[in-house]
Amino acid sequence: MIDDHKTDLETYAKETLSKLCLGEYSIDDLPKFVQQLDDMELREYVEIAGARYQLSHPAE
């Protein structure tokens, strides 16, 4: 499930950044981009991914 979420976030980010580079997306629209990432629960994903990393790489 988290891997699907990661794929969705990566796809959205790559598509949006490509559109920005091609001039199809305005720099003025970046707040919409950030809002969409928030709506896609980016913060929650980062928390879960960080916790998974910590579990798999305990401090030595």
Side-chain angles (χ1 to χ4, degrees):
M1 169 134 171
I2 191 168
D3 293 330
D4 292 337
H5 198 72
K6 177 183 176 187
T7 300
D8 292 343
L9 287 164
E10 287 178 342
T11 299
Y12 175 70
K14 287 177 184 178
E15 288 175 356
T16 302
L17 292 174
S18 292
K19 289 178 182 180
L20 180 63
C21 291
L22 294 171
E24 297 172 10
Y25 197 80
S26 170
I27 200 84
D28 296 330
D29 293 329
L30 284 179
K32 292 178 189 175
F33 171 69
V34 172
Q35 181 60 52
Q36 181 62 31
L37 289 173
D38 282 343
D39 293 346
M40 294 174 76
E41 301 178 345
L42 173 63
R43 293 173 202 268
E44 291 81 356
Y45 168 77
V46 170
E47 288 178 17
I48 292 168
R52 283 178 67 181
Y53 179 83
Q54 291 297 323
L55 288 172
S56 64
H57 297 86
E60 296 181 30

